[in-house]
C-alpha cells in the first residue's frame, strides 16, 4: 500500500503522469524492485523527488548536501566505517541535539547506535543516496598517501605482507567497513606506489573466479603484479571507489573517477574506470605524469632534419596539422608537447578533448559531453567565437568535425587534431572520404605526423649483436643493416632489456606538388611515392635509423612497423 501511495502522491503533485505510474508498476512487477527505484531508473523522477515525499510522510526534514559546508569537528563525531556503513553524516550540532543526514531514514538500529556512539540526542534528516555518496567522499579521508613509502624491491614484499595482515588481523563482514580498514587503505597506497615506482602507465585490478589479479602496463607491455585473495575483492573495489569519488553502492554500470596524489613533490593524476564483468568489477587506473606527458620536442623521437621541418609547420599562422596512429601510439604526448612549445601570453590556445588528459597552464581546455550536446563539432564551432589563435580538436571523428576544422584553418587559425590512419599519406583520402572537398584539403593541410611507439634498449645492459637474417628479409632490409643492438636484461630494466619508449615518426609536409595530386584525387601510392622522392622518411626507415643508432632493437621495429 505504501508503494501505491507513493505513486499516487507523485501523480497528484504532477511529478509524473498516470501512464508513467502504470508503466513503472508493470516494470516493478517484472523486476521486484522498489517503486521509487523503478521510477528513478526510468527517468520519471529524481532521487530528491522520492526522498522529499518519504521525509514528509515520516515527519522529517529533507536537506540537500550539495554545496553544504560541514565542519571537521562534526565529521570527527562519526568514525568513517560507521558513516559509510549506515550512510550517515552529521550536519549540525546545537543545544545538545546532533542533526544527522541519512539516506535510509528508516534504519532504526543505526539511529539508536548513533545516540550511543555520540552521546547526543540525534535528530535524523533525510537526504538522497547521490548526495550522501558525494558528501562521504568529500568529507572523509580519500587521499592516497604515497610519499614516505619505501622504494626498491621492498614494495613488492610490503604488498605481500599487507595482504597477509588483512587475512590475519581483519575480521569484518561488512565490505564497506573493510574498505576503510587501515590495512586495506595501505594496500591500495602500496599498489599505486609500486605502479609509480615501476614507471607504469596503467594499473589494472582484475577479478577472476578464485582470485583478484593486479597487472601493470610498463613500456606498453602488461606485467604481472601481486594477487589478492578473492574474499577481499569487494573491499578493494570499494576502497578504489571511495578514493576516486565513485558511488560505492552502484556496481551495475561503468563509472569514472579521479585520484590526485604527489610523489616526492611531483603531482600525479590517476584516471580511474570501473567496468562490470562476469566475476565482478574490473578497475583500470591510468597514471598521468605531467613530466612524461609534456616533453621537449627534441625528446619525442624526431631526428634533427624532421624536427626542423616540424617546427616550421607549427609556426605557420594557419592551417591543419594532423597526428595519426592507433590508440596508445603517443599522439597525446606529441600534441601536448607541441601546444606547450607554442604556449605564450601572446597566443590564445583553446582545446576540446575527450577526455582532458592533463591541465596545461594558460591553455583553455574543455571536455566534450555528447549527452549535453557538446560534441567535437559543436565545441569547435563555439571555440571560433572565442577569438583563438591555436585550436586543438582531440579527434576528427566525422565529416562535420573535419569540415569545421578545415574551415577554421582557412579563416586564419592553426588547427591540430588526430586521425586513426595507418600512415601519414592515409590521412588525405580519409579526410576526403569524410566529405571534405579535395581542393579544401589541399588549401588547408600543412602536414601530417604518423607515429608508433617502440621500447628503448636499456643503456645499462645494451650490447652489439648481429642482426637476424630472417628478420631482415621479412623487413626487406637485406644488406642495409650490418649490426644492431640488444639488451640481455638487468635490475635497472627489471630484466626486460628495455626502459622507456620513443616514437617512430613519419613526417609528411604538404608541398605544391603534393597539393596538385590531392586536387586531382591521386591514389595513396602515387602521393606516397611523391613524398618519398621529396625526402620523406617512412616509419620503417625511421625505425631502421633508430636501430643503427642503438636506440631500439630490430625485434621492436618489426613488431611495431613491420609488414
Amino acid at each position: 500500500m505504501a508503494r501505491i501511495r507513493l505513486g499516487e502522491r507523485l501523480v497528484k503533485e504532477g511529478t509524473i503522469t498516470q501512464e508513467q505510474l502504470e508503466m513503472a508498476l508493470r516494470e516493478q512487477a517484472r523486476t521486484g524492485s522498489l517503486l521509487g527505484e523503478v521510477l528513478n531508473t526510468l527517468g520519471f523522477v529524481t532521487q530528491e523527488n522520492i526522498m522529499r515525499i518519504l521525509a514528509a510522510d515520516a515527519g522529517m526534514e529533507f536537506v540537500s548536501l550539495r554545496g553544504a559546508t560541514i565542519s571537521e569537528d562534526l565529521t570527527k563525531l562519526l568514525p568513517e566505517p560507521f558513516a559509510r556503513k549506515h550512510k550517515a553524516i552529521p550536519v549540525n550540532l546545537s543545544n545538545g541535539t546532533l542533526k544527522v543526514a541519512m539516506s535510509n531514514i528508516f534504519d532504526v538500529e543505526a539511529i539508536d547506535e548513533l545516540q550511543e556512539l555520540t552521546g547526543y540526542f540525534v535528530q535524523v534528516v533525510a537526504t538522497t543516496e547521490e548526495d550522501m555518496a558525494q558528501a562521504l567522499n568529500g568529507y572523509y579521508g580519500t587521499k592516497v598517501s604515497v610519499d614516505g613509502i619505501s622504494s626498491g624491491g621492498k614494495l613488492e614484499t610490503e604488498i605481500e605482507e599487507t595482504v597477509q595482515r588483512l587475512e590475519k588481523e581483519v575480521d569484518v563482514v561488512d565490505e564497506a567497513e573493510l574498505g576503510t580498514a587501515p590495512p586495506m587503505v595501505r594496500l591500495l597506497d602500496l599498489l599505486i606506489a609500486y605502479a609509480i615506482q615501476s614507471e607504469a602507465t596503467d594499473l589494472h585490478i582484475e577479478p577472476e573466479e578464485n582470485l583478484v589479479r593486479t597487472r601493470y602496463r610498463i613500456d606498453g607491455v602488461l606485467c604481472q603484479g601481486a594477487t589478492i585473495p578473492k574474499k577481499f575483492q569487494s573491499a578493494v573495489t570499494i576502497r578504489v571507489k571511495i578514493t576516486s569519488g565513485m558511488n560505492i553502492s552502484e556496481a551495475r554500470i561503468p563509472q569514472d573517477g579521479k585520484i590526485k596524489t604527489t610523489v616526492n613533490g611531483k603531482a600525479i593524476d590517476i584516471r580511474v574506470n570501473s567496468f562490470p564483468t562476469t566475476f565482478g568489477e574490473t578497475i583500470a587506473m591510468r597514471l598521468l605524469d605531467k613530466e612524461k606527458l609534456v616533453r621537449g620536442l627534441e625528446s619525442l623521437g624526431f631526428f634533427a632534419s624532421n624536427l626542423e621541418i616540424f617546427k616550421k609547420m607549427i609556426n605557420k599562422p594557419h592551417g591543419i596539422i594532423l597526428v595519426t596512429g592507433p590508440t596508445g601510439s603517443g599522439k597525446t604526448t606529441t600534441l601536448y608537447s607541441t601546444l606547450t612549445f607554442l604556449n605564450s601570453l601572446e597566443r590564445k590556445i583553446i582545446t576540446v578533448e575527450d577526455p582532458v588528459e592533463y591541465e596545461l597552464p594558460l591553455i583553455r581546455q574543455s571536455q566534450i559531453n555528447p549527452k549535453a550536446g557538446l560534441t567535437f563539432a559543436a565545441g569547435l564551432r563555439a571555440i571560433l567565437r572565442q577569438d583563438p589563435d591555436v585550436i586543438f580538436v582531440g579527434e576528427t571523428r566525422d565529416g562535420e568535425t573535419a569540415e569545421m576544422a578545415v574551415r577554421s584553418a582557412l579563416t586564419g587559425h592553426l588547427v591540430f587534431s588526430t586521425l586513426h590512419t595507418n600512415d601519414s599519406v592515409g590521412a588525405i583520402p580519409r579526410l576526403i572520404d569524410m566529405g571534405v572537398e579535395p581542393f579544401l584539403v589541399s588549401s588547408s593541410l600543412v602536414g601530417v605526423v604518423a607515429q608508433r611507439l617502440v621500447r628503448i634498449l636499456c643503456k645499462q645492459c645494451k650490447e652489439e649483436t648481429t642482426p637476424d637474417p630472417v628478420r631482415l628479409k621479412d623487413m626487406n632490409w637485406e644488406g642495409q643493416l650490418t649490426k644492431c643492438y640488444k639488451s640481455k636484461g638487468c635490475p635497472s630494466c627489471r630484466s626486460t632489456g628495455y626502459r622507456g619508449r620513443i616514437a617512430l615518426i613519419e613526417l609528411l609536409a604538404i608541398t605544391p606538388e603534393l597539393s596538385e595530386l590531392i586536387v586531382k584525387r591521386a591514389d595513396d601510392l602515387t602521393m606516397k611515392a611523391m613524398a618519398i622522392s621529396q625526402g620523406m622518411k617512412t616509419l620503417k626507415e625511421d625505425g631502421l635509423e633508430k636501430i643503427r643508432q642503438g636506440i631500439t632493437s630490430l625485434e621492436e621495429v618489426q613488431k611495431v612497423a613491420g609488414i
Side-chain angles (χ1 to χ4, degrees):
M1 292 298 294
R3 293 176 186 172
I4 295 171
R5 284 200 297 271
L6 170 64
E8 289 174 350
R9 283 278 298 276
L10 288 167
V11 172
K12 188 176 180 180
E13 291 176 359
T15 306
I16 61 173
T17 64
Q18 185 64 39
E19 290 76 15
Q20 287 174 325
L21 173 59
E22 289 171 3
M23 185 188 300
L25 288 170
R26 287 195 297 271
E27 183 67 12
Q28 181 196 19
R30 187 180 69 83
T31 63
S33 302
L34 294 173
L35 180 61
E37 291 178 3
V38 173
L39 287 165
N40 182 237
T41 302
L42 291 173
F44 296 158
V45 298
T46 64
Q47 288 185 7
E48 187 170 323
N49 294 143
I50 302 294
M51 284 306 297
R52 283 189 181 277
I53 289 176
L54 293 176
D57 285 347
M60 290 182 181
E61 177 188 351
F62 174 86
V63 297
S64 173
L65 297 179
R66 280 167 291 178
T69 302
I70 301 171
S71 71
E72 189 177 340
D73 290 338
L74 279 175
T75 56
K76 283 179 179 177
L77 293 174
L78 285 190
E80 184 181 356
F82 182 94
R84 290 193 180 279
K85 179 180 179 180
H86 297 290
K87 297 176 183 175
I89 192 166
V91 292
N92 187 44
L93 176 61
S94 178
N95 300 323
T97 297
L98 181 66
K99 188 179 286 189
V100 179
M102 296 181 68
S103 54
N104 181 3
I105 56 177
F106 304 113
D107 190 347
V108 180
E109 290 183 12
I111 297 169
D112 290 340
E113 286 183 52
L114 274 168
Q115 296 195 149
E116 288 181 22
L117 185 66
T118 63
Y120 293 107
F121 174 74
V122 172
Q123 178 190 349
V124 173
V125 295
T127 194
T128 64
E129 287 265 3
E130 218 169 59
D131 282 8
M132 179 58 65
Q134 289 181 2
L136 289 171
N137 288 336
Y139 289 105
Y140 284 98
T142 61
K143 189 177 180 182
V144 170
S145 177
V146 176
D147 278 331
I149 290 180
S150 62
S151 59
K154 293 180 182 178
L155 270 178
E156 292 176 274
T157 305
E158 280 193 61
I159 291 170
E160 291 176 11
E161 289 174 351
T162 304
V163 172
Q164 290 170 9
R165 184 183 163 198
L166 274 167
E167 293 194 275
K168 290 177 182 177
E169 298 179 16
V170 180
D171 185 22
V172 182
V173 177
D174 186 84
E175 298 294 352
E177 192 171 343
L178 179 55
T180 60
M184 186 57 69
V185 173
R186 178 71 173 173
L187 177 60
L188 180 60
D189 290 352
L190 288 167
L191 291 173
I192 292 174
Y194 184 72
I196 293 168
Q197 177 193 287
S198 303
E199 298 181 352
T201 54
D202 301 84
L203 163 60
H204 297 261
I205 302 175
E206 304 167 324
E208 297 183 6
E209 187 174 4
N210 300 312
L211 54 84
V212 178
R213 190 183 303 278
T214 64
R215 293 196 290 174
Y216 300 86
R217 189 174 294 279
I218 302 170
D219 294 335
V221 179
L222 278 173
C223 305
Q224 176 69 36
T227 56
I228 301 167
K230 183 73 173 177
K231 63 183 178 181
F232 297 126
Q233 175 182 322
S234 295
V236 170
T237 303
I238 285 170
R239 184 64 212 163
V240 172
K241 287 183 169 184
I242 287 171
T243 310
S244 58
M246 296 183 193
N247 184 355
I248 64 172
S249 62
E250 180 56 77
R252 300 165 298 176
I253 58 173
Q255 293 189 64
D256 292 303
K258 197 170 186 180
I259 299 172
K260 286 182 179 286
T261 187
T262 57
V263 183
N264 301 322
K266 181 170 65 175
I268 302 287
D269 279 4
I270 304 173
R271 199 171 68 233
V272 187
N273 175 264
S274 69
F275 186 81
T277 66
T278 307
F279 297 116
E281 291 176 278
T282 184
I283 303 290
M285 307 174 76
R286 170 66 56 89
L287 285 77
L288 301 172
D289 181 350
K290 185 180 179 182
E291 289 184 10
K292 292 181 180 177
L293 199 60
V294 179
R295 301 159 63 181
L297 297 181
E298 294 77 8
S299 65
L300 291 175
F302 288 98
F303 286 120
S305 57
N306 269 349
L307 182 60
E308 186 180 346
I309 296 169
F310 185 66
K311 283 184 176 179
K312 285 180 181 177
M313 284 182 185
I314 64 178
N315 278 302
K316 287 183 178 289
H318 54 80
I320 297 178
I321 297 170
L322 296 171
V323 180
T324 75
T327 301
S329 60
K331 299 188 296 293
T332 299
T333 298
T334 297
L335 285 163
Y336 272 25
S337 301
T338 302
L339 293 178
T340 302
F341 177 82
L342 293 173
N343 198 10
S344 70
L345 288 170
E346 290 75 36
R347 278 194 180 99
K348 183 165 183 176
I349 303 175
I350 305 183
T351 77
V352 54
E353 307 171 53
D354 182 27
V356 173
E357 296 275 4
Y358 207 99
E359 288 83 13
L360 299 168
L362 205 62
I363 295 175
R364 309 301 167 218
Q365 296 169 267
S366 63
Q367 182 164 321
I368 68 165
N369 185 353
K371 289 183 179 178
L374 181 56
T375 60
F376 280 122
L380 181 51
R381 190 178 293 108
I383 281 174
L384 293 175
R385 296 192 285 272
Q386 287 287 318
D387 186 31
D389 298 299
V390 179
I391 299 169
F392 168 39
V393 182
E395 185 180 342
T396 303
R397 293 179 179 173
D398 52 52
E400 187 182 5
T401 307
E403 188 172 344
M404 284 296 301
V406 166
R407 297 197 180 280
S408 301
L410 293 174
T411 53
H413 303 90
L414 185 61
V415 181
F416 293 90
S417 190
T418 68
L419 268 180
H420 288 288
T421 60
N422 291 326
D423 58 11
S424 56
V425 174
I428 297 168
R430 180 81 180 102
L431 288 174
I432 295 171
D433 287 345
M434 286 181 171
V436 182
E437 291 294 335
F439 75 91
L440 291 176
V441 175
S442 170
S443 303
S444 60
L445 191 61
V446 172
V448 184
V449 178
Q451 64 181 67
R452 303 288 189 279
L453 290 180
V454 291
R455 291 182 291 173
I456 299 171
L457 287 167
C458 175
K459 294 176 182 177
Q460 303 299 319
C461 59
K462 180 174 68 174
E463 58 186 19
E464 189 176 315
T465 187
T466 304
D468 180 355
V470 176
R471 291 187 186 275
L472 289 179
K473 186 177 180 181
D474 289 342
M475 299 288 284
N476 293 319
W477 281 348
E478 296 100 322
Q480 296 187 56
L481 194 65
T482 56
K483 68 175 183 178
C484 61
Y485 297 84
K486 69 174 183 179
S487 296
K488 55 188 176 183
C490 67
S492 176
C493 60
R494 299 173 302 279
S495 300
T496 63
Y498 300 93
R499 183 156 189 175
R501 290 190 292 175
I502 196 168
L504 302 184
I505 290 175
E506 180 177 292
L507 181 62
L508 173 69
I510 304 300
T511 61
E513 294 80 10
L514 270 173
S515 289
E516 286 183 21
L517 290 178
I518 294 170
V519 173
K520 292 176 181 176
R521 293 180 181 262
D523 60 67
D524 297 19
L525 292 176
T526 304
M527 288 190 286
K528 190 167 187 176
M530 171 66 75
I532 290 172
S533 71
Q534 294 180 334
M536 182 186 83
K537 289 188 180 297
T538 65
L539 284 167
K540 281 179 65 175
E541 290 170 337
D542 192 77
L544 179 60
E545 188 58 34
K546 286 183 168 77
I547 293 169
R548 286 179 178 143
Q549 294 188 16
I551 296 170
T552 190
S553 68
L554 175 57
E555 292 80 6
E556 274 292 292
V557 174
Q558 184 184 30
K559 181 176 71 176
V560 171
I563 296 174

